[in-house]
Structures are given as C-alpha cells and as structure tokens.
Amino acid sequence: MNARHDRLPAGPAAAADPRRPVRSSCLIVLGCVEVDDFEVEFVWSTLTDTVLADFRGVEPRRIGTAVIGGRADPAFVAQPDHLYWLGYEHREARILQAAVRLFEQRPRR
C-alpha cells in the first residue's frame, strides 16, 4: 500500500526523473543508429530476447519493440504515437533491420 498522499512511490523511485527510462541489468544497450536525422537507441531485453527501439531526445521515446526470438520471422511492434512517422521511407523496416543486426552482434552472456 502506498502511504504517500501524492501517489508517488515511496523510496528511491520517488526521486527518479520520470522522463528517463529505468535501466536494469536485464536491459543492455546494443547501439544507436541515425534514421532520417533522428537518433534511435536499441536496447536488448535479455528476459524476452526482444530489442526496444527508443528515440534519443524525442518524447515519447519508445518507437516500438523488435520481436526476434522464437520460430517466426522477426517482427516490429510499433507504438501508436509513432505510426505516422514509421509509415514513410521504409522506416519501420529499417529500424527492424538495424535491431536484428545489433541483436545478432550482441555480447554473449
């Protein structure tokens, strides 16, 4: 139960900047590429073998998630806020291609 009246979580999380993503040992930065003058950062989620694609310096940050593991071909699940942007110049395919390349080059645990 949250005892704070402002509905913020108690403890260290309350002081964290809400605009910055939380990093954990399960999230490993794979790299960053430029897509039409925007920097896109790729982060590997080791728990699900997916790659998160985020803008650097643009809100909302999350562009989508590349689902790579499993038996099916890789797929990109886009966030609704960026569907319009992804629809031009094969951006979605380019982001998925970069995610797959970085995933295949990821550090082995």
Side-chain angles (χ1 to χ4, degrees):
M1 182 108 201
N2 191 348
R4 291 182 58 148
H5 297 289
D6 57 6
R7 292 197 165 93
L8 288 173
D17 183 352
R19 295 167 293 171
R20 298 295 306 158
V22 176
R23 295 285 190 211
S24 77
S25 60
C26 299
L27 299 174
I28 299 172
V29 176
L30 295 177
C32 186
V33 299
E34 187 174 302
V35 177
D36 297 340
D37 298 326
F38 290 97
E39 289 186 35
V40 178
E41 181 179 59
F42 295 92
V43 179
W44 170 35
S45 173
T46 61
L47 295 176
T48 58
D49 265 349
T50 57
V51 177
L52 310 174
D54 294 335
F55 281 122
R56 281 189 175 170
V58 175
E59 292 293 335
R61 290 176 49 88
R62 181 67 33 87
I63 303 167
T65 304
V67 181
I68 298 171
R71 298 178 199 185
D73 289 336
F76 189 75
V77 181
Q79 291 295 309
D81 292 328
H82 298 300
L83 288 174
Y84 184 78
W85 183 82
L86 285 166
Y88 287 94
E89 302 293 324
H90 307 288
R91 290 175 179 147
E92 183 174 343
R94 290 166 36 206
I95 289 173
L96 177 60
Q97 183 180 33
V100 169
R101 179 177 45 81
L102 290 168
F103 181 79
E104 290 172 349
Q105 297 171 354
R106 73 192 183 281
R108 302 294 176 181
R109 297 181 119 202

